[in-house]
Amino acid sequence: VYAMGIILWELVTREHPFLKAVPSVQGIPQFVISGHRPQIPHDCIPSFARLIADCWDHSPARRPTFQNILDVLLEIASKISAEL
C-alpha cells in the first residue's frame, strides 16, 4: 500500500519521489523508515492528497486496503467527470 501511495504521488507530480531528498538509492529505506515522505503538491485535489498520505501512514495497520483505495479513486473520478 505504501508503494501505491508512491505511485499515486508520481502520477500527480511526474517526478521521482526521492531524487532530490536522498543522494543514493541505498539511502531510500532509511529515509522512509525515519518517517520522511515526499511533499504532496499544494494544488493536489484534497481527497487525492489525503489518500496518498493515508497510504504512507507510518503504521501499516492504519493504511487503507486496496478496496478502500479503489473506492476513493472511483469517488474522485466520479466527481471529476460530473464537473466536466
Side-chain angles (χ1 to χ4, degrees), residues 3-50:
M4 183 65 183
I6 292 293
I7 292 168
L8 295 172
W9 182 90
E10 290 173 324
L11 288 171
V12 170
T13 64
R14 294 189 237 163
E15 295 180 7
H16 185 286
F18 305 108
L19 190 61
K20 297 175 186 169
V22 183
S24 71
V25 174
Q26 292 81 10
I28 293 173
Q30 186 57 41
F31 183 80
V32 171
I33 290 168
S34 65
H36 291 90
R37 304 294 188 257
Q39 184 167 345
I40 300 170
H42 298 292
D43 61 347
C44 184
I45 296 169
S47 55
F48 201 77
R50 181 79 247 152

Side-chain angles (χ1 to χ4, degrees), residues 18 33 41 45-46 52 58 68 78:
F18 305 108
I33 290 168
I45 296 169
I52 293 170
H58 189 69
N68 295 136
S78 176

